[in-house]
Amino acid sequence: MSSESKQPTFDILMLATHHIDIYTQYSIPIWEKYCEMHGYKFYNYQENLLPDMAFTWSRLQMLVNHQAISDADYIVMVDADTYLFKDMMHLSMGEIVSKHMNPGKKILFQKDGSDRLGIYFSHNFSLSFKMGRWVLPNAGFNIMENGPETNAFLKLWLELGQGRLSHLAKVHTMTQNVLLHGELQEPEMDKLVGSLPSRLVNKRNTKFCKHLSAMTKEQIGAEIKKEYDKIFSEGNSK
């Protein structure tokens, strides 16, 4: 028996148009570099696929469309305002999945909360109590198996946003509103979902991937550029 097991394959997707070039000029090369290091494929989609809905919904249609053409084992969706830390770029998606994709889970979401002094805090206490769910998902970063169960999950999410829960699809957090109030109310879908530790992906106190929010485009660009300069400085770009 071979001592080397087959490593899972990953496609990493980002939806980003030219109007946010001020920061994707830094975030895209970082993700491309990471994919180059680990043998993954990076895709930067730019098309508004659902013109009758808020642009963020195109991310879900992007994932459905990509599943139809991809033979990767997993698909990772990253927001355009995410970036990786130079000192942790050695950490592979395979290691993350192996450690955190528990049996029966098919999708790992970033938590919409953070760890402070070793205690987890939701970023929206009132919503957590209302939903009876202390750990809320953040739709801006996820890792999913590329298979029929996640395809059905994505299609139901879109169907709810375009139909029965279209009123929630237009309100702030949009995709997350429909995810929480619709998709995750279905036990068969809810059981597929797991969470990534906030130390891996978050907007604060994270070591691997930082997901920025509540900042101007210029502020996002300035912060990502700091890590970009470390990664692509002379002697580190190879």
Side-chain angles (χ1 to χ4, degrees):
M1 184 175 178
S2 173
S3 60
E4 294 186 6
S5 58
K6 179 182 177 294
Q7 295 299 308
T9 55
F10 290 83
D11 287 349
I12 298 184
L13 280 56
M14 179 188 292
L15 180 65
T17 59
H18 291 302
H19 79 285
I20 52 174
D21 282 351
I22 192 170
Y23 57 88
T24 57
Q25 64 178 313
Y26 305 119
S27 62
I28 288 175
I30 291 174
W31 281 107
E32 288 177 331
K33 179 68 176 178
Y34 177 76
C35 288
E36 179 186 338
M37 289 174 61
H38 294 280
Y40 305 151
K41 295 178 181 178
F42 179 81
Y43 297 84
N44 172 210
Y45 288 102
Q46 301 181 26
E47 185 179 355
N48 184 352
L49 299 170
L50 299 171
D52 294 334
M53 302 183 77
F55 185 66
T56 187
W57 281 96
S58 287
R59 296 180 305 176
L60 301 187
Q61 190 63 56
M62 170 189 73
L63 287 165
V64 171
N65 293 353
H66 191 82
Q67 282 189 324
I69 63 171
S70 174
D71 60 0
D73 297 314
Y74 294 89
I75 296 175
V76 183
M77 198 287 295
V78 300
D79 265 1
D81 55 359
T82 60
Y83 69 93
L84 299 163
F85 289 98
K86 172 182 175 293
D87 292 342
M88 287 298 291
M89 288 183 70
H90 65 274
L91 180 64
S92 71
M93 291 292 171
E95 291 175 87
I96 293 172
V97 165
S98 177
K99 188 170 183 179
H100 301 291
M101 188 80 82
N102 294 327
K105 303 301 182 184
K106 303 295 180 181
I107 307 174
L108 295 176
F109 282 102
Q110 170 191 342
K111 293 178 182 178
D112 200 28
S114 57
D115 292 309
R116 305 175 202 176
L117 301 175
I119 302 173
Y120 177 79
F121 287 87
S122 170
H123 289 164
N124 190 329
F125 288 105
S126 61
L127 183 58
S128 286
F129 283 117
K130 176 184 176 183
M131 303 303 299
R133 183 185 291 266
W134 183 236
V135 177
L136 302 175
N138 185 310
F141 185 106
N142 55 69
I143 305 172
M144 65 180 65
E145 280 192 10
N146 183 20
E149 289 172 296
T150 57
N151 185 260
F153 186 99
L154 291 167
K155 287 181 176 178
L156 176 59
W157 197 351
L158 281 166
E159 179 185 322
L160 290 168
Q162 293 169 320
R164 179 167 60 86
L165 298 181
S166 60
H167 59 293
L168 294 177
K170 303 171 185 177
V171 180
H172 178 61
T173 75
M174 301 177 184
T175 55
Q176 283 172 218
N177 277 339
V178 175
L179 177 65
L180 282 168
H181 292 88
E183 183 98 38
L184 298 186
Q185 301 305 309
E186 301 290 336
E188 289 301 305
M189 296 301 176
D190 188 31
K191 73 179 184 181
L192 302 178
V193 173
S195 299
L196 290 161
S198 56
R199 69 178 182 276
L200 287 179
V201 187
N202 210 268
K203 66 179 181 181
R204 59 169 67 90
N205 302 328
T206 183
K207 303 297 183 183
F208 176 62
C209 176
K210 193 165 187 179
H211 186 185
L212 304 175
S213 65
M215 301 168 69
T216 66
K217 295 177 186 179
E218 292 76 16
Q219 289 171 328
I220 292 171
E223 176 157 343
I224 299 178
K225 185 179 184 299
K226 294 176 184 176
E227 206 64 28
Y228 171 92
D229 288 343
K230 295 178 185 178
I231 293 168
F232 292 98
S233 62
E234 188 175 353
N236 288 323
S237 60
K238 293 183 180 181

